[in-house]
Amino acid sequence: MDKEEKINCHNCSHFMHHYIIDKHCRLAKVLDCGHCISNSYRRTHFDKPCKHWQPREVLAQEQKKYVKGTLENIEILLEKIAIALENVEDF
């Protein structure tokens, strides 16, 4: 994080922007408006963070770990399916 970038709700991994559907049926972000997914409070970009604040990078790292674990589980299941199919004569 840059030294000049302040810690606020906008750059927290728990901040979820609010969206609307515009007149052209496109999803559009509502400026400076959202809520905290940790405590359900309506927040703006510039609110002081609560005790749940953590940088967005932490969330990205957690998501990568989760995806990696899921892919490893899929690999194990595919190996078990391949072994099972080898034992089936009609396949």
Side-chain angles (χ1 to χ4, degrees), residues 2-16:
D2 296 332
K3 289 181 180 179
E4 296 180 12
E5 186 176 3
K6 295 180 180 178
I7 295 175
N8 56 36
C9 288
H10 179 257
N11 56 27
C12 176
S13 64
H14 299 286
F15 182 75
M16 182 69 65

Side-chain angles (χ1 to χ4, degrees), residues 20-47:
I20 60 169
I21 297 177
D22 67 11
K23 65 181 180 180
H24 302 291
C25 296
R26 294 179 298 201
L27 200 59
K29 190 185 295 186
V30 179
L31 294 178
D32 299 335
C33 188
H35 69 275
C36 178
I37 59 176
S38 292
N39 58 26
S40 299
Y41 293 123
R42 184 179 175 105
R43 312 294 287 175
T44 68
H45 286 215
F46 308 107
D47 285 342

Side-chain angles (χ1 to χ4, degrees), residues 71-87:
L71 291 173
E72 289 169 351
N73 290 337
I74 290 171
E75 179 183 19
I76 292 167
L77 290 173
L78 288 173
E79 288 172 359
K80 288 180 180 181
I81 291 170
I83 291 168
L85 288 175
E86 286 176 2
N87 297 328

